[in-house]
Amino acid sequence: MRVVAIEEHWTTPEIDQALRAQPEGDPSVVLNDRGDIPARLLDIGDQRIEAMDAAGIDVQILSIAPPGAHGLPAGEAVALCRDANDRAAEAVRRHPSRLRAMTTLPMPDPDAAVAELLRTADLPGHVGIMSYGRSGERPLDDPAYDDLLATAARLGRPVFLHPQIPPAAVRDASYRGFDPILELSLATFGWGWHIEAGLAALRLIVRGTFDRHPDLQIVLGHWGEMLLFALERADSLSNVATHLERRVADYFATNIHIATSGMLTPRLLRHALEYTSVDRILLSGDYPFHRMEASEVADFLETLPDAGDRQKIAGANAESLYGIKE
């Protein structure tokens, strides 16, 4: 049974330095500094393959660590994304049976993002897109990105909609009043990240994105970024979003996939299967922020009684969605 992990992070020294040099940058970048994470993020070679072997992972799909290039000046983002995508392609050339890559796009410049997506169509191993729900103050559902989303749909490139820290004004209103580390944690992995990603997905739905681009596929990590837990409530938007062709919840059956993000918890799997099908659940480890162990993956999959379902979540769903061949 092949195991494919789809949300496995890395970065380049140049992107990391550029993010830290921003006068009012994303404070969540400090979460990349814990323990041996910095060294592991910079490695997409032998050390990473060794870690994959130890965890029983056959294929990783590389993706730039948050916050990506979304918060950088447009011109700088264009050059840094191009460099990162070329490096990812080179890593795939060196390890063609073990690595694939999500394309990093210069989202501050929507036209440049389309151009870069088209350029990477000819690079080895680029099979998807790592994105966030907002670039600066411009949300992903903004009409400026519609050509990009249309291109992603046409090329068959799924968009992984990764969490990001809420805007400064939202942090000031909702996440202040504690010591700095607790404020940051509350605004990121403790709560804010997931609300931002879930909201971005909802905005795409109610904007009519999937009606215009029915082939577009997105992936939500962390078991759906809270949305599966509130899907019945969110579906009530259908009563006012009367321009949509279907109800809000229906798009989860046709355009949205759910990834584990290292949270290999059987009760979350059972809950997800009440709202989506086993064909739309993907294994992701969130490396190196989480370190899956081979026994942990095996125990998690064994909670599924059907061998075919275990194979789907372990890797077959990812192979189908991302077009991964041996």
Side-chain angles (χ1 to χ4, degrees):
M1 182 166 60
R2 273 165 57 86
V3 178
V4 180
I6 72 161
E7 179 198 1
E8 316 312 309
H9 294 300
W10 74 292
T11 194
T12 69
E14 292 80 8
I15 288 178
D16 183 70
Q17 292 163 13
L19 289 168
R20 295 172 193 271
Q22 298 305 304
E24 296 183 8
D26 187 329
S28 68
V29 72
V30 303
L31 298 174
N32 297 350
D33 294 341
R34 296 165 293 164
D36 64 351
I37 287 175
R40 288 180 179 269
L41 280 175
L42 295 174
D43 175 74
I44 48 175
D46 293 341
Q47 181 187 17
R48 183 168 294 249
I49 299 300
E50 291 174 5
M52 291 168 59
D53 289 342
I57 305 296
D58 295 294
V59 179
Q60 271 194 4
I61 303 181
L62 304 171
S63 61
I64 288 289
H70 281 54
L72 297 175
E76 195 171 4
V78 170
L80 290 172
C81 289
R82 184 183 184 95
D83 174 67
N85 292 329
D86 288 344
R87 293 189 193 191
E90 180 55 35
V92 174
R93 287 190 188 97
R94 292 195 305 269
H95 303 284
S97 66
R98 307 302 302 276
L99 298 177
R100 296 294 185 274
M102 293 190 195
T103 304
T104 303
L105 297 176
M107 298 297 279
D109 184 337
D111 291 336
V114 173
E116 181 63 5
L117 180 57
L118 291 171
R119 186 186 75 89
T120 60
D122 296 323
L123 293 182
H126 280 260
V127 295
I129 298 165
M130 171 58 69
S131 186
Y132 298 81
R134 174 177 35 81
S135 182
E137 296 185 358
R138 181 159 49 195
L140 185 58
D141 62 280
D142 189 282
Y145 291 122
D146 203 58
D147 188 23
L148 173 65
L149 296 174
T151 305
R154 178 169 58 82
L155 294 176
R157 295 284 187 88
V159 178
F160 195 110
L161 194 52
H162 198 278
Q164 66 188 135
I165 197 168
V170 176
R171 299 202 305 274
D172 289 342
S174 301
Y175 296 97
R176 301 298 187 199
F178 306 96
D179 68 74
I181 295 300
L182 183 52
E183 287 181 348
L184 178 63
S185 301
L186 187 62
T188 55
F189 59 83
W191 190 252
W193 266 352
H194 313 297
I195 298 303
E196 288 293 305
L199 177 59
L202 273 181
R203 288 185 62 101
L204 286 170
I205 292 172
V206 300
R207 182 74 74 176
T209 304
F210 301 111
D211 293 339
R212 293 191 305 279
H213 313 300
D215 293 332
L216 180 65
Q217 301 294 313
I218 69 169
V219 181
L220 287 172
H222 305 99
W223 294 103
E225 307 295 2
M226 308 295 188
L227 277 177
L228 290 187
F229 296 95
L231 190 56
E232 289 159 330
R233 185 68 169 172
D235 192 50
S236 63
L237 289 168
S238 309
N239 301 326
V240 292
T242 56
H243 59 285
L244 296 178
E245 295 177 1
R246 291 175 285 156
R247 296 191 64 84
V248 166
D250 292 344
Y251 295 93
F252 281 77
T254 55
N255 301 93
I256 297 175
H257 304 257
I258 306 299
T260 61
S261 299
M263 301 167 64
L264 302 186
T265 309
R267 68 175 179 274
L268 295 178
L269 172 60
R270 292 194 296 271
H271 181 270
L273 288 173
E274 292 191 10
Y275 291 92
T276 191
S277 74
V278 71
D279 302 297
R280 288 189 165 264
I281 297 177
L282 305 160
L283 186 72
S284 66
D286 204 12
Y287 178 90
F289 304 105
H290 290 277
R291 313 282 173 83
M292 294 193 301
E293 297 180 0
S295 59
E296 180 187 20
V297 174
D299 290 346
F300 169 73
L301 293 172
E302 281 298 320
T303 63
L304 288 162
D306 184 80
D309 289 346
R310 293 196 292 271
Q311 186 174 16
K312 286 178 180 179
I313 294 178
N317 288 343
E319 290 175 328
S320 176
L321 179 64
Y322 290 99
I324 299 173
K325 300 179 176 62
E326 293 190 37

